[in-house]
Amino acid sequence: MGSASFLKKAQALLRVRNQLARECLAELLSVFVLMLITLSGSAQMVTTSETKGNYLSAYLAGALAIMVAIHTGGGVSGAHLNPAYSFAMCLLEQFPWWKFPIYVAVQTLGSFIAAGAVYFLYYDAIWHYSNGTLTTSGPRETASIFATYPADYVSIANGFLDQVIGTGMLILGVLAITDTRNKPVPKGLESVAVALLVLSIEVSMGANCGCPMNPARDFGPRLFTYVAGWGAEVFRWVEGQGQGGGWQ
């Protein structure tokens, strides 16, 4: 009886009543879950030299991660997960502009924290694989675990076009899936449909730049690698740097 009373008091004390705060916490947790799984898929691929994972398994991890992330916070924040999606919702007048910078900041923070969690989860593997040197290029680079990098042959213009088309396809697909006036997805399976959409884009458009399609997904972890020891090279294109696995 005493234990039940204590739990009720704790729940009442920890309950967040402010709606915006609830949305921010839900979005933060959703992005954290998404990125924890996505980056772990990349870490497993890179640190084992693709003996326990490859690009397909990394893409699959990212696609399934979005399904989990949507269920994690979709009922509270809408599980935007992506500044590009939040921006599209603002343009369609389905999301207030004043919330846009708040959501972008929360999404980026969630990605940053998740990158830190993956770094510590794979700490021994990263340092063993890299021979004790955190680099952004070369045969033992590990920066691509966290952020995406263009292939050597991709120009800035082609990379920009790659992201415009990939992100546009993502937004178009999500809007089609969630449009109640369209041929509906069976109720409860919307997250599965979005995950399959993401996977289809990844396996068809991932060769150029790793298919990030999400500013927060890329910038948050990239910022983490900068402060964690990879240095300013993470913000510069380096020949031979390769590309990391990524979703959305």
Side-chain angles (χ1 to χ4, degrees):
M1 191 70 177
S3 177
S5 177
F6 172 77
L7 288 175
K8 287 183 178 180
K9 290 180 180 180
Q11 289 173 356
L13 182 64
L14 296 174
R15 182 172 298 154
V16 179
R17 292 178 173 81
N18 181 274
Q19 182 59 28
L20 179 59
R22 287 167 57 87
E23 291 176 8
C24 289
L25 288 173
E27 192 71 8
L28 180 71
L29 182 59
S30 296
V31 173
F32 176 81
V33 168
L34 166 67
M35 296 308 302
L36 181 67
I37 298 173
T38 299
L39 298 182
S40 292
S42 294
Q44 181 166 292
M45 174 187 68
V46 171
T47 59
T48 63
S49 300
E50 298 192 29
T51 60
K52 296 182 179 179
N54 52 34
Y55 274 105
L56 182 58
S57 68
Y59 286 149
L60 184 60
L64 294 176
I66 191 172
M67 179 181 67
V68 180
I70 290 172
H71 286 291
T72 299
V76 180
S77 69
H80 288 199
L81 310 175
N82 186 338
Y85 181 76
S86 298
F87 183 70
M89 291 299 98
C90 289
L91 290 177
L92 295 173
E93 298 184 346
Q94 296 182 22
F95 190 68
W97 281 103
W98 67 269
K99 282 187 178 181
F100 176 66
I102 299 174
Y103 263 50
V104 171
V106 170
Q107 291 158 354
T108 304
L109 178 61
S111 294
F112 182 91
I113 296 173
V118 172
Y119 175 71
F120 288 112
L121 177 64
Y122 279 90
Y123 181 86
D124 289 343
I126 290 172
W127 284 96
H128 177 266
Y129 175 80
S130 65
N131 291 324
T133 304
L134 302 178
T135 62
T136 59
S137 60
R140 292 288 176 173
E141 64 82 21
T142 47
S144 64
I145 291 173
F146 300 93
T148 58
Y149 295 89
D152 293 342
Y153 53 80
V154 176
S155 65
I156 293 177
N158 197 179
F160 177 78
L161 180 63
D162 175 89
Q163 288 309 294
V164 169
I165 293 177
T167 304
M169 186 65 251
L170 172 69
I171 300 301
L172 176 63
V174 172
L175 291 177
I177 290 169
T178 57
D179 188 351
T180 56
R181 299 166 299 178
N182 203 350
K183 187 174 182 180
V185 174
K187 188 173 178 59
L189 294 180
E190 296 87 352
S191 62
V192 177
V194 174
L196 291 174
L197 166 66
V198 169
L199 182 60
S200 69
I201 296 173
E202 288 178 328
V203 298
S204 62
M205 304 181 192
N208 286 336
C209 300
C211 216
M213 298 182 290
N214 184 335
R217 175 262 177 270
D218 195 79
F219 180 71
R222 193 181 299 273
L223 183 61
F224 172 80
T225 56
Y226 170 71
V227 301
W230 278 264
E233 289 296 321
V234 300
F235 290 108
R236 291 194 290 268
W237 180 84
V238 179
E239 186 176 357
Q241 201 165 31
Q243 60 188 44
W247 79 277
Q248 203 190 354

